[in-house]
C-alpha cells in the first residue's frame, strides 16, 4: 500500500542538507519535479514492469512516483550511497520496496541480497558527469549486464556524459528534454535487445 504523501513528508529539507554536505554526489539542490517524474515513469515503462531498480533515489520523490505506477505484484530495489537518505527511505512503508545502502557499482550483489529477478527497468538519477569516467563505465556495464532482455535503462541528467561513456555497448539513446524541472534535465533511454 502506498501511504499518502503527508505521512512520509516530501524530504526537500533533508535533500537540501544532503546537497550541502556532498554537492558532487547529489548533483541537484532540490528533488525532481513531478513533470520529470512523469517523464521518467513513462520512458521506463514502469506500469508494465515486474522488477525495477532505482539508482540514486535520494529522499524518495522519484521512488514514490515509481511505486505509484508500479503493478501490485512488482518489486522495486532502491540503491542509494548516502546513509542519511537510506534511513529516510527505509521509513517508507511499502512492502514492494527494498532499500540497499551502497554504490550503484554493486547493483548485482544488491539484487542477490534481496533475491530479485533481473530488472526490466533501471532508473538512474546518479550524476555520471561528476564521477570518474571509469566508475561511470563500470556502472553502465553492470546495469547492462543485469537488465533482462528487452529491458529499459533510463538516466535523467544535467550533463551529456552518460551518452558517451559506453556507446558501443548501449548504442544511441533516445533523448528527451524536461524543461519543467530545476534545473531542466535530459532523460536518456536505452532498450536492451530482446
Ligand atoms: C540528483 S539526486 C536524485 C534524487 C532523486 N532521485 C530525485 O530525482 O529527486 C542523485 C542521487 O544519487 C545518489 N548517488 C550518487 N552517486 C551514487 C552511486 N554511485 N550509487 C548510488 N547512489 C548514488 C546521491 O546520493 C543522490 O541521492
Amino acid at each position: 500500500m502506498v501511504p499518502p504523501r503527508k505521512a512520509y513528508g516530501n524530504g526537500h529539507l533533508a535533500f537540501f542538507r544532503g546537497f550541502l554536505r556532498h554537492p558532487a554526489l547529489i548533483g541537484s539542490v532540490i528533488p525532481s519535479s513531478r513533470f520529470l517524474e512523469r517523464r521518467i515513469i513513462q520512458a521506463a515503462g514502469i506500469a508494465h514492469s515486474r522488477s525495477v531498480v532505482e539508482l540514486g533515489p535520494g529522499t524518495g520523490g522519484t521512488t514514490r512516483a515509481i511505486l505509484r505506477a508500479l503493478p501490485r505484484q512488482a518489486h522495486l530495489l532502491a540503491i542509494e550511497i548516502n546513509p542519511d537518505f537510506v534511513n529516510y527511505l527505509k521509513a517508507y512503508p511499502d512492502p514492494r520496496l527494498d532499500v540497499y545502502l551502497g554504490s550503484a557499482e554493486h547493483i548485482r550483489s544488491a539484487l542477490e541480497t534481496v533475491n530479485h529477478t533481473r530488472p526490466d527497468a533501471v532508473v538512474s538519477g546518479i550524476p555520471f558527469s561528476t564521477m570518474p569516467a571509469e566508475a561511470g563505465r563500470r556502472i553502465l556495464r553492470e546495469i547492462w549486464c543485469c537488465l533482462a532482455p528487452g529491458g529499459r535503462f533510463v538516466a535523467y541528467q544535467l550533463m551529456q556524459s552518460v551518452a558517451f561513456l559506453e556507446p558501443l555497448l548501449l548504442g544511441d539513446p533516445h533523448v528527451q528534454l524536461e524543461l519543467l524541472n530545476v534545473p531542466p534535465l535530459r532523460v536518456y533511454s536505452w532498450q536492451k535487445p530482446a
Side-chain angles (χ1 to χ4, degrees):
M1 245 258 302
V2 181
R5 263 176 190 247
K6 229 172 136 193
Y8 175 72
N10 66 19
H12 286 206
L13 188 60
F15 191 89
F16 183 61
R17 281 203 208 102
F19 172 79
L20 293 179
R21 285 194 200 114
H22 310 284
L25 268 184
I26 312 289
S28 179
V29 180
I30 57 167
S32 298
S33 71
R34 67 195 141 94
F35 302 98
L36 179 62
E37 288 173 359
R38 211 172 293 155
R39 204 179 276 280
I40 294 165
I41 299 304
Q42 278 170 8
I46 299 297
H48 47 89
S49 296
R50 281 167 307 163
S51 172
V52 178
V53 172
E54 182 181 19
L55 307 174
T59 50
T62 39
T63 315
R64 289 195 295 274
I66 292 171
L67 287 167
R68 280 196 293 274
L70 195 67
R72 197 180 282 258
Q73 302 303 329
H75 298 283
L76 171 62
L77 169 63
I79 302 178
E80 171 57 58
I81 206 167
N82 182 320
D84 295 334
F85 291 173
V86 165
N87 286 337
Y88 203 86
L89 290 159
K90 281 189 168 165
Y92 194 63
D94 189 311
R96 297 170 299 169
L97 173 65
D98 284 298
V99 183
Y100 180 91
L101 170 62
S103 170
E105 291 180 56
H106 306 130
I107 177 171
R108 246 188 292 188
S109 34
L111 278 164
E112 279 164 18
T113 309
V114 294
N115 239 339
H116 276 209
T117 53
R118 296 172 79 176
D120 23 41
V122 175
V123 171
S124 175
I126 64 176
F128 282 91
S129 54
T130 58
M131 67 176 74
E134 191 41 49
R137 283 191 202 101
R138 269 201 305 276
I139 292 173
L140 291 179
R141 289 195 291 263
E142 285 297 301
I143 292 169
W144 209 245
C145 173
C146 286
L147 260 183
R152 298 158 299 282
F153 168 47
V154 173
Y156 48 105
Q157 300 283 300
L158 180 60
M159 312 298 277
Q160 298 181 37
S161 28
V162 70
F164 302 111
L165 287 171
E166 275 291 356
L168 294 180
L169 182 65
L170 275 66
D172 290 334
H174 175 66
V175 188
Q176 295 173 280
L177 177 64
E178 180 52 70
L179 293 170
L180 297 176
N181 190 70
V182 181
L185 293 187
R186 286 189 179 79
V187 178
Y188 296 87
S189 336
W190 291 264
Q191 183 159 22
K192 188 170 169 174

